Amino acid sequence: MDVIYGTWPWYVSGFLIGAVMLVLVYFGKTFGMSSNLRTMCTVLGAGKTSDFFKFDWKTQRWNLAVVLGAMIGGYIAVNFLSDPSVPTVELNPKTITELQQLNIDEPNGKLLPGALTSSDALQSPKVLAILLLGGLMVGFGTRYAGGCTSGHAITGLSNLQLPSLIAVIGFFIGGLLMSRFLLPLILK
């Protein structure tokens, strides 16, 4: 068996995502990582502190299989289906230049820049504040929008739901505004 290096082409991964969506629709299920995390929090007892987590998680056990599959799949992809000499993330040279102007290092195949995620960076109060505030805002946005980006963009759009279209447009506008205007102000 040949080992696959690098990332899969969009037409293979897109087809697989579409096939998974058809199976989920057939069984009357929806997909979204925030619902999976909600199920995990409920199993771990979060229902004792918040009504949001008070539901019959056993009806959502399949969500736990999705989380476990994502973790196992990520482990297999990194350790058995990738070649460290082949970069998994290739950025446009213009993007690299713009990141360098913000003092963010080139990822060199990593998924996250060391300027925000290295052990040295995590000792900086400013970086910790950025990550904590960003996490809170993502959590608030997920709850406010009634789902996460994967739930709305994959499940909602494939089911032709107008609220998901509005949420996805909002996600993109927010991401563009953040990366173009707010991030340069925060990092300087």
Side-chain angles (χ1 to χ4, degrees):
M1 179 175 133
D2 290 335
V3 177
I4 301 170
Y5 295 116
T7 58
W8 289 4
W10 63 267
Y11 49 85
V12 172
S13 52
F15 173 78
L16 291 173
I17 291 170
V20 167
M21 285 311 307
L22 286 174
V23 170
L24 289 174
V25 168
Y26 178 78
F27 287 107
K29 306 290 185 190
T30 59
F31 173 80
M33 289 310 287
S34 63
S35 59
N36 300 340
L37 294 173
R38 179 182 182 211
T39 302
M40 284 177 44
C41 290
T42 300
V43 169
L44 296 173
K48 296 173 187 171
T49 59
S50 173
D51 289 340
F52 177 70
F53 297 106
K54 289 183 182 176
F55 70 97
D56 184 14
W57 66 268
K58 293 178 182 174
T59 62
Q60 300 292 317
R61 278 187 296 225
W62 68 274
N63 279 336
L64 301 176
V66 170
V67 172
L68 185 63
M71 293 187 320
I72 292 171
Y75 179 82
I76 291 170
V78 167
N79 292 293
F80 301 109
L81 299 177
S82 64
D83 179 0
S85 66
V86 177
T88 55
V89 177
E90 294 182 35
L91 297 178
N92 183 305
K94 184 178 177 188
T95 301
I96 293 171
T97 302
E98 290 176 3
L99 288 173
Q100 288 170 342
Q101 291 171 353
L102 297 172
N103 295 321
I104 296 177
D105 54 327
E106 183 179 350
N108 293 322
K110 298 180 295 184
L111 295 177
L112 298 171
L116 296 174
T117 59
S118 70
S119 58
D120 290 338
L122 293 176
Q123 294 178 11
S124 163
K126 181 180 178 179
V127 170
L128 282 176
I130 290 169
L131 294 175
L132 288 172
L133 183 62
L136 287 171
M137 290 177 72
V138 167
F140 172 78
T142 299
R143 183 75 178 109
Y144 185 74
C148 61
T149 52
S150 59
H152 282 297
I154 298 172
T155 300
L157 290 181
S158 67
N159 288 319
L160 303 176
Q161 295 178 0
L162 181 61
S164 290
L165 178 62
I166 293 167
V168 169
I169 291 170
F171 296 150
F172 273 95
I173 290 172
L176 290 171
L177 291 174
M178 179 63 190
S179 64
R180 192 70 178 157
F181 300 112
L182 296 176
L183 190 62
L185 291 174
I186 293 169
L187 293 179
K188 289 202 177 195

